[in-house]
């Protein structure tokens, strides 16, 4: 190993064109890596790359993370519970759809009732499978999971409205910053389904798709 790699207990790095050498242990640059000590070299190398090089970024991450969950509270969570706190619930049930509907805002017709397209949308959401519901939610809000504390916790209410500036065969628009879905004046629930799912599947990572 010593003759093949000509490596000592140090690591060379380059940042913004400046090369630097760091000893992995005291006097590391003068200690050759051999068959007897290669395991120690690998361990020190990995520790340096994963921790020493990333220490500043890790400290910044932990500072932000601990503003959400104090260190003394972490032992109270299982990994699954912690994921739910950070990412939301893993699926969207029919009960979740109803909760979202009740917490939502919508546009009204001349009689003060929700537009037909709005009612078609909510009926569609109840008939979709959980994966497609998640895709619709991500298309509109940027997050495919319900908040842990419920849809009432959304900073901006989920809003479904009919856009009079759109044509009957246009694709819907999503304004993610405001959790807003804008539907064209579709003439049937079938057209709404086809157009919405097309937009969701092809453009759910964007802000708007015409």
């Amino acid at each position: 190993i010593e003759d093949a790699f000509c490596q000592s207990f140090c690591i060379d790095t380059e940042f913004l064109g400046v090369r630097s050498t760091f000893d992995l242990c005291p006097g590391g640059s003068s200690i050759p890596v051999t068959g007897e000590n290669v395991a120690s070299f690998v361990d020190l190398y990995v520790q340096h790359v994963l921790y020493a090089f990333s220490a500043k970024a890790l400290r910044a991450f932990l500072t932000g993370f601990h503003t959400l969950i104090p260190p003394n509270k972490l032992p109270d969570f299982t990994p699954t519970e912690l994921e739910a706190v950070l990412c939301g619930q893993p699926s969207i049930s029919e009960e979740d759809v109803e909760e979202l509907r009740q917490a939502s805002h919508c546009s009204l017709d001349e009689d003060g009732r929700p537009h037909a397209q709005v009612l078609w949308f909510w009926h569609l959401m109840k008939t979709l499978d959980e994966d497609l519901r998640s895709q619709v939610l991500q298309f509109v809000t940027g997050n495919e999971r319900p908040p842990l504390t419920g849809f009432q916790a959304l900073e901006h209410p989920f809003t479904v409205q009919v856009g009079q500036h759109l044509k009957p065969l246009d694709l819907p628009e999503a304004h993610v910053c405001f959790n807003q879905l804008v539907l064209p004046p579709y003439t049937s629930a079938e057209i709404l389904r086809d157009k919405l799912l097309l937009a969701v599947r092809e453009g759910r990572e964007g802000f708007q798709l015409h």
Side-chain angles (χ1 to χ4, degrees):
I1 290 179
E2 183 176 357
D3 294 334
F5 293 103
C6 300
Q7 176 68 50
S8 59
F9 274 65
C10 62
I11 182 172
D12 295 323
T13 65
E14 182 175 343
F15 182 71
L16 298 177
V18 178
R19 294 186 62 84
S20 303
T21 299
F22 296 91
D23 285 351
L24 298 177
C25 62
S29 57
S30 60
I31 302 175
V33 177
T34 65
E36 289 74 25
N37 64 18
V38 65
S40 296
F41 169 77
V42 171
D43 182 61
L44 289 171
Y45 186 96
V46 170
Q47 292 291 325
H48 197 82
V49 170
L50 293 181
Y51 297 104
F53 281 177
S54 306
K56 186 176 181 180
L58 284 173
R59 284 196 299 270
F61 169 79
L62 289 174
T63 298
F65 181 80
H66 289 153
T67 62
L68 298 174
I69 303 178
N72 63 319
K73 298 296 183 181
L74 279 175
D76 298 336
F77 294 95
T78 66
T80 300
E81 290 170 340
L82 184 60
E83 180 184 10
V85 169
L86 296 177
C87 304
Q89 299 292 348
S91 61
I92 303 177
S93 65
E94 280 195 43
E95 290 75 17
D96 292 325
V97 172
E98 179 59 23
E99 179 194 337
L100 178 60
R101 187 191 67 79
Q102 293 182 10
S104 70
H105 293 180
C106 71
S107 61
L108 306 176
D109 60 20
E110 295 178 354
D111 296 324
R113 300 172 181 173
H115 283 104
Q117 293 81 2
V118 174
L119 300 178
W120 293 340
F121 168 79
W122 288 116
H123 177 74
L124 172 62
M125 283 292 287
K126 289 186 177 181
T127 62
L128 295 176
D129 60 37
E130 291 188 350
D131 183 58
L132 284 176
R133 288 173 187 160
S134 295
Q135 290 184 30
V136 172
L137 187 65
Q138 183 179 25
F139 179 69
V140 181
T141 69
N143 195 328
E144 63 183 4
R145 294 183 172 196
L148 180 66
T149 54
F151 288 108
Q152 296 282 358
L154 289 174
E155 181 177 0
H156 300 286
F158 191 95
T159 302
V160 185
Q161 65 183 63
V162 175
Q164 300 302 328
H165 63 289
L166 298 174
K167 299 177 181 178
L169 293 181
D170 284 346
L171 294 176
E173 298 177 354
H175 303 289
V176 179
C177 296
F178 301 102
N179 300 330
Q180 184 181 69
L181 175 65
V182 183
L183 298 170
Y186 295 126
T187 56
S188 71
E190 291 74 19
I191 295 176
L192 185 150
R193 175 189 173 91
D194 292 343
K195 294 293 185 178
L196 177 62
L197 294 186
L198 174 61
V200 165
R201 286 168 173 154
E202 301 299 329
R204 65 191 176 110
E205 294 183 359
F207 287 92
Q208 181 170 314
L209 183 64
H210 292 290

